Amino acid sequence: MPFASVYPLYIQKAEKKGRTKAEVDRIIFWLTGYDEKTLQQHIDDKSDLEAFFAQAPQINPNVSKITGVVCGYRVEEIKDKLMQQIRYLDKLIDELAKGKAIEIILRI
């Protein structure tokens, strides 16, 4: 599945709850190490989720602090690395949509 197809859904979910695209981007940058230019490049290239995460400059070392349930699965117990990374991002966007402060979401 192309990252470009899920990215607008993340933005839409956040904006419905009064959050911003900039906050979604900040979460993605924190998690993956991408910046605005490299994120846009993946969107333009229609990179699939596997390539998006595999080519990430650096998955944040604090991902182990992301815990909880997404789609009925505890993110910290997911064995498949790619699926876990996808669910980490889902979890962070869920927290944004639920109104948590960005500092809490980013485990700062």
Side-chain angles (χ1 to χ4, degrees):
M1 176 181 298
F3 176 76
S5 67
V6 294
Y7 179 65
L9 300 175
Y10 289 142
I11 294 169
Q12 181 181 17
K13 182 174 190 170
E15 288 179 342
K16 278 184 182 179
K17 299 294 184 168
R19 303 310 285 258
T20 66
K21 176 187 178 294
E23 289 174 307
V24 171
D25 288 350
R26 185 169 175 200
I27 288 170
I28 293 170
F29 300 160
W30 176 87
L31 179 63
T32 62
Y34 287 119
D35 59 22
E36 193 172 323
K37 181 181 177 185
T38 54
L39 175 63
Q40 189 60 51
Q41 188 173 17
H42 277 281
I43 293 167
D44 294 343
D45 293 346
K46 297 188 181 358
S47 299
D48 63 24
L49 286 166
E50 185 173 8
F52 178 78
F53 282 105
Q55 296 171 14
Q58 178 181 344
I59 298 298
N60 193 294
N62 288 331
V63 294
S64 62
K65 294 180 180 180
I66 302 170
T67 60
V69 178
V70 175
C71 298
Y73 295 96
R74 295 205 64 79
V75 294
E76 62 272 23
E77 296 174 359
I78 297 172
K79 302 288 185 228
D80 181 87
K81 183 179 175 183
L82 174 61
M83 187 54 63
Q84 187 178 47
Q85 291 171 332
I86 293 167
R87 295 302 180 207
Y88 281 150
L89 182 53
D90 291 344
K91 179 69 176 166
L92 296 174
I93 299 300
D94 284 351
E95 290 177 356
L96 181 68
K98 289 178 182 173
K100 285 191 176 184
I102 198 80
E103 293 77 19
I104 293 170
I105 295 167
L106 301 183
R107 279 62 179 171
I108 297 174

